[in-house]
Amino acid sequence: VLGCPSVGATENIMLAAVKAEGTTVIRNAAKEPEIADLQNFVNRMGGRISGGGSSTVVVEGVKSLRGAEYTPVSDRIEAGTFLIASAMCGGELALKNARAENLSALLDKLREISCKIHAIDDKIYIKSGARFSPKLIETSPYPGFPTDLQAPMTALACICGGSTVVVENLFETRFKHVPELIRMGADITVRGRSAFVRGVPRLHGADVCAGDLRGGAALALAAISAEGRSTVTDLRHIDRGYSEFEYKLRGAGARIRRVRV
């Protein structure tokens, strides 16, 4: 029984139980799409797992696994990051191989700030709107708002009209990006697990440092939407979770390049 429906804990117990003797039942399991995807992959290899994507996962141990060919589910956090980038910078964007059903909490927030969104099959189309302030962004386990998109959404809230309260319920150190956003002109106050964001007309360029993966992505989005030139350092954090991040942003119209030092 998990005290918190942790994705990593659920996945590790699933993997440990695959070849264990007998049956393992995981209660209060994480419900993220990646759990069901891992289940499907392991079952393709000869495992016997059921319940992935629900709060109870049952693993019946097997003696051995075999090789298999499998295509993992697309990265919903990467897709969400590019949707937020479009909302921050304006214009229109089409994402391919993106599943709207896995991003419903984010899409609801983007519609709340007047973005026009249309999803069909594995494509999501977004057109930026007037950027009204999202009044509340509160992270919670899936299908709630993902903690991995909290930092990019905080950056978006910085340039929306009005005020936003961001509540981080899952991780204690998820506001490392806030001091760097303030260097760019953001108006943010952090108290415990909450950040109070008052929108400003525009951010300005600055030299900032990525302190973690999602915070680094948030700073990159803030930089491409800001006036003037910005430099984001410590890209090793961003590289850990995004493939060819700057190339994809540049392909969508951003003026961004990587400088080797």
Side-chain angles (χ1 to χ4, degrees):
V1 178
L2 299 181
C4 173
S6 161
V7 175
T10 301
E11 291 173 335
N12 276 284
I13 296 171
M14 289 168 64
L15 293 175
V18 168
K19 293 176 66 177
E21 187 175 324
T23 298
T24 302
V25 179
I26 310 170
R27 303 193 188 279
N28 198 30
K31 301 177 182 179
E32 274 74 359
E34 292 78 17
I35 301 298
D37 199 50
L38 176 61
Q39 168 188 283
N40 296 339
F41 172 54
V42 173
N43 287 350
R44 183 75 62 86
M45 300 177 70
R48 299 179 64 185
I49 306 176
S50 61
S54 73
S55 60
T56 302
V57 176
V58 179
V59 185
E60 299 178 53
V62 297
K63 291 186 177 180
S64 63
L65 298 175
R66 59 179 178 271
E69 184 174 324
Y70 190 80
T71 301
V73 67
S74 59
D75 188 337
R76 62 193 171 92
I77 302 303
E78 182 183 24
T81 301
F82 286 110
L83 289 170
I84 295 170
S86 179
M88 291 185 71
C89 298
E92 301 178 49
L93 192 67
L95 292 183
K96 299 179 180 179
N97 195 27
R99 300 185 180 183
E101 65 269 23
N102 294 341
L103 286 163
S104 58
L106 171 64
L107 298 183
D108 288 344
K109 285 298 174 185
L110 293 176
R111 290 188 178 102
E112 183 182 321
I113 65 171
S114 80
C115 289
K116 302 295 188 293
I117 298 171
H118 178 62
I120 181 170
D121 298 328
D122 65 343
K123 298 181 180 66
I124 302 176
Y125 301 87
I126 180 171
K127 182 177 181 180
S128 181
R131 289 202 299 259
F132 300 114
S133 175
K135 299 305 178 186
L136 175 66
I137 301 168
E138 186 170 9
T139 65
S140 61
Y142 188 86
F145 193 90
T147 181
D148 283 338
L149 289 176
Q150 177 262 106
M153 275 298 288
T154 300
L156 170 57
C158 290
I159 55 173
C160 289
S163 299
T164 301
V165 179
V166 183
V167 182
E168 176 54 64
N169 291 312
L170 301 180
F171 292 97
E172 294 181 356
T173 58
R174 270 281 160 103
F175 288 127
K176 291 181 180 179
H177 53 287
V178 167
E180 303 302 287
L181 288 173
I182 292 174
R183 290 167 59 86
M184 301 180 74
D187 186 353
I188 308 173
T189 302
V190 176
R191 296 175 187 158
R193 290 181 175 269
S194 299
F196 301 86
V197 184
R198 290 161 289 277
V200 297
R202 205 153 181 84
L203 299 175
H204 57 73
D207 294 338
V208 294
C209 181
D212 55 40
L213 167 56
R214 307 305 174 184
L219 294 177
L221 300 193
I224 62 176
S225 69
E227 289 182 344
R229 178 173 176 171
S230 298
T231 302
V232 183
T233 57
D234 222 350
L235 300 185
R236 61 190 175 90
H237 294 297
I238 298 176
D239 290 339
R240 188 168 65 82
Y242 296 91
S243 173
E244 300 181 326
F245 192 48
E246 70 272 21
Y247 295 105
K248 293 176 182 177
L249 286 171
R250 191 159 63 238
R255 297 177 62 185
I256 181 173
R257 63 188 177 94
R258 182 181 295 243
V259 179
R260 304 289 180 181
V261 294

